[in-house]
Amino acid sequence: MKIINAEHIDDALNFESLLIALQKGFASDFCMPKRNVYELEPTKTNRDAFAVLPAWNEQVIGVKAFTYFPSNTHTEYDSLYSKIMLFSRDHGEPLALVDGTRITLWRTAAVSALASRYLSRENSNHLVFFGSGNLALYMVKAHLTVRNFTRVTLIARNVEKVTALQHSLEQAFPYIDFVMGKSTEEVIFSADVISCATGSPTPLFNGAWLKPGTHVDLIGNHHSEQRECDTTTITRSHVYVDSRVNVLGEAGEVLQPIKEGVFRAHDIRAELSDLAKVNSYARFNETDITVFKSVGTALSDLIAANSVYQSLEG
């Protein structure tokens, strides 16, 4: 059995090939039971959690287990620890233990980018990105893989982190204009794609500010009582998700408008697997606002981890 660490993953993956693998994997037969997230001590001040995400397809069986301790940000420990176990689908023997934390960064960004390939306008040139955490660099790089953005506005509370993010991106993409900004009506209205990867419990912008044709990508929130966008954004949009069962169990972006009586579960247009099976531009027109809400899937973990394993076997 192989032990696959973060360095192996970074050496093996790139967004171009991972997007292809994800499209094929989501379009093919798979089984993905509902993810199980357990709050270890559910209080308003404690969000410590343990989660188990199983999935399998014709090639492999996998399960990701992770712990999330947000208060660790003030200690020497990481806030998230994760491992993925891969087993052979043919005979069930263990194949690899994979660093789930690094896989999560790669697959989360790639899933958002794949959805953007289907849902954002092909002539999009301004990306507004919220966040400066570990996902930020991966997210922006993934979105740059599918659209020819000429301008990227970075919005985050942590000035030191967002400055470092801007510098890293400028070094990697010197032909793109990276600027730091704020969530104002002018900035939001100018965006073609808005991607949000934050821990914010409240909406990051006013949905009335969105111009026709904007695509909104939401990946930061996993709590039913929190949300990165407001109800106006949802009611103005065609809503797509990575997994109906997971989103309807966890995502306040959708659950709160449902509770308010202005959105229904069957208003969700499609899952990522539906888009991947068609595998073509999915916009009805250039003026619709689209939202993609992702809370993470075991299938995307399985596909990304197996991609790394297969590359090392080859």
Side-chain angles (χ1 to χ4, degrees):
M1 184 180 75
K2 289 186 177 296
I3 306 297
I4 299 175
N5 60 30
E7 290 72 27
H8 292 142
I9 293 167
D10 288 341
D11 289 342
L13 291 182
N14 62 73
F15 284 117
E16 290 82 0
S17 61
L18 184 54
L19 285 164
I20 294 170
L22 285 169
Q23 183 276 315
K24 290 180 178 179
F26 272 88
S28 302
D29 291 335
F30 63 87
C31 187
M32 184 173 59
K34 183 181 178 180
R35 60 190 251 156
N36 293 297
V37 181
Y38 307 99
E39 291 191 1
L40 301 178
E41 188 182 342
T43 67
K44 290 183 178 180
T45 58
N46 190 309
R47 292 289 185 176
D48 295 349
F50 172 63
V52 181
L53 292 75
W56 57 91
N57 58 22
E58 294 180 352
Q59 290 78 45
V60 284
I61 304 163
V63 59
K64 181 169 83 169
F66 71 82
T67 55
Y68 176 60
F69 283 59
S71 59
N72 279 357
T73 54
H74 306 297
T75 73
E76 71 272 23
Y77 296 99
D78 293 334
S79 59
L80 187 145
Y81 292 96
S82 175
K83 296 294 180 183
I84 299 168
M85 189 73 191
L86 289 181
F87 303 83
S88 163
R89 182 65 180 86
D90 292 331
H91 303 290
E93 77 274 23
L95 300 176
L97 182 66
V98 187
D99 184 278
T101 304
R102 190 59 58 90
I103 286 290
T104 299
L105 296 175
W106 278 95
R107 65 82 158 151
T108 302
V111 162
S112 288
L114 182 61
S116 181
R117 175 174 285 169
Y118 298 136
L119 299 172
S120 67
R121 288 182 293 107
E122 292 178 316
N123 64 350
S124 296
N125 58 56
H126 183 200
L127 169 68
V128 171
F129 180 77
F130 285 86
S132 61
N134 293 334
L135 262 171
L137 186 61
Y138 291 84
M139 292 293 295
V140 176
K141 285 184 174 181
H143 278 279
L144 291 173
T145 302
V146 299
R147 291 291 178 258
N148 294 320
F149 295 109
T150 59
R151 181 179 178 85
V152 177
T153 299
L154 306 170
I155 302 176
R157 291 178 300 176
N158 190 311
V159 176
E160 183 178 349
K161 285 186 176 180
V162 75
T163 300
L165 174 64
Q166 180 188 32
H167 178 72
S168 296
L169 289 166
E170 287 174 340
Q171 295 296 109
F173 305 96
Y175 51 89
I176 296 175
D177 186 21
F178 295 97
V179 300
M180 288 185 284
K182 294 183 178 180
S183 182
T184 64
E185 181 174 3
E186 180 182 6
V187 169
I188 298 304
F189 186 79
S190 69
D192 299 304
V193 176
I194 298 173
S195 181
C196 304
T198 76
S200 175
T202 56
L204 297 165
F205 57 87
N206 186 334
W209 296 345
L210 296 168
K211 71 182 178 185
T214 305
H215 173 62
V216 180
D217 171 54
L218 305 165
I219 65 99
N221 172 55
H222 299 257
H223 298 291
S224 61
E225 300 303 318
Q226 300 180 10
R227 50 181 172 171
E228 289 186 298
C229 78
D230 60 11
T231 296
T232 301
T233 298
I234 296 298
T235 56
R236 293 187 67 196
S237 303
H238 291 173
V239 178
Y240 300 80
V241 299
D242 60 346
S243 161
R244 277 190 176 88
V245 65
N246 290 343
V247 165
L248 291 172
E250 301 176 34
E253 289 85 357
V254 172
L255 292 173
Q256 291 192 39
I258 289 175
K259 186 184 296 185
E260 293 164 4
V262 296
F263 188 78
R264 298 162 296 180
H266 66 258
D267 289 331
I268 294 173
R269 294 295 178 115
E271 293 181 300
L272 184 59
S273 59
D274 302 315
L275 297 171
K277 287 171 184 174
V278 178
N279 196 31
S280 64
Y281 195 49
R283 294 189 69 88
F284 292 102
N285 56 59
E286 297 300 277
T287 59
D288 286 336
I289 297 171
T290 56
V291 163
F292 178 70
K293 174 58 190 171
S294 172
V295 295
T297 63
L299 180 64
S300 57
D301 292 314
L302 183 80
I303 294 165
N306 190 42
S307 295
V308 176
Y309 173 75
Q310 293 297 332
S311 71
L312 295 177
E313 281 293 283

